[in-house]
Amino acid sequence: TRLATFSAGCEIFEIKLSRGYNESSFREDLKIVYNKLGIENKKIVFMFGDQHVAEEGFLELINNMLTTGIVPALFADEEREAIIGNIREEAMKNGASPAKESIWQYFVTKCSVNLH
């Protein structure tokens, strides 16, 4: 996987488990990944194995990522507004309507395309 990631020109993201690493820590790491995917437009391989399942809640978050493209309620309203503001111009250039929900969906779709 690491060789294929390098060959494809992608970055690798893997959580670093430590004492006290919990679902809140995992969500903060996911925010960083989603900002890289959607705002910085980086292609990222998210390596997550059974050794990374410190809490069962992690699996639900991963399942949401795989089915909908993003973890529900990952970003607070003010963080979401900041993301929409950062990506608005790009989204509208690529055919998104000026509505906030349309721009947010553009962000989610872009993240899904860049996440491997």
Side-chain angles (χ1 to χ4, degrees):
T1 301
R2 291 184 190 281
L3 179 60
T5 300
F6 176 77
S7 296
C10 299
E11 290 182 18
I12 288 184
F13 177 78
E14 190 172 11
I15 63 172
K16 306 275 189 276
L17 289 178
S18 60
R19 184 184 311 251
Y21 192 90
N22 57 20
E23 188 172 327
S24 177
S25 306
F26 187 49
R27 284 178 169 272
E28 289 302 315
D29 283 344
L30 290 178
K31 285 180 185 181
I32 293 167
V33 169
Y34 273 100
N35 280 318
K36 286 183 178 183
L37 292 166
I39 295 174
E40 297 176 26
N41 200 31
K42 294 188 177 183
K43 295 188 183 308
I44 297 177
V45 173
F46 182 44
M47 288 186 48
F48 189 85
D50 57 349
Q51 72 274 16
H52 294 113
V53 183
E55 295 182 8
E56 282 190 36
F58 290 11
L59 296 176
E60 184 178 341
L61 298 177
I62 295 293
N63 186 49
N64 284 324
M65 290 171 66
L66 295 172
T67 56
T68 64
I70 197 159
V71 175
L74 180 62
F75 294 100
D77 289 340
E78 58 274 357
E79 292 171 320
R80 187 173 166 159
E81 291 295 323
I83 289 170
I84 289 170
N86 282 336
I87 204 166
R88 178 181 303 279
E89 189 175 316
E90 176 187 341
M92 291 177 66
K93 282 182 185 175
N94 288 303
S97 74
K100 289 180 182 180
E101 194 55 43
S102 178
I103 295 170
W104 181 253
Q105 190 56 49
Y106 174 82
F107 173 77
V108 171
T109 302
K110 187 175 174 185
C111 289
S112 295
V113 167
N114 286 335
L115 181 63
H116 303 284

